[in-house]
Amino acid sequence: MKQLLELLGFVALVQGVLGLLHEFAHWRVGLLQRLGFLDGYGVYASVALIVLACALFAAAGSRRSGRG
């Protein structure tokens, strides 16, 4: 479970950073630019993904690694 949370956190962090790069540097990277319903809200969605990544990393850190 810990590894799954870390993986999801990493994916959310990467997509959030790529979304910010798309918004500010106009690079055509990331998945957020492909979602039409987020037009005009790319910065907010990217920041939300970065915050979600921090929460997932915190949740993974609070989980015990091992069986006992």
Side-chain angles (χ1 to χ4, degrees):
M1 184 66 159
K2 181 179 179 177
Q3 292 174 343
L4 177 63
L5 290 172
E6 289 174 345
L7 175 69
L8 291 174
F10 178 74
V11 170
L13 180 66
V14 168
Q15 288 303 314
V17 169
L18 289 176
L20 288 176
L21 280 174
H22 171 71
E23 290 295 324
F24 294 119
H26 301 291
W27 290 5
R28 312 258 308 131
V29 292
L31 295 176
L32 287 180
Q33 68 168 338
R34 291 173 177 39
L35 300 176
F37 63 90
L38 289 176
D39 285 345
Y41 297 102
V43 174
Y44 301 114
S46 297
V47 170
L49 276 174
I50 292 171
V51 169
L52 174 67
C54 293
L56 287 170
F57 288 139
S62 70
R63 305 285 293 180
R64 288 187 291 169
S65 63
R67 292 189 170 184

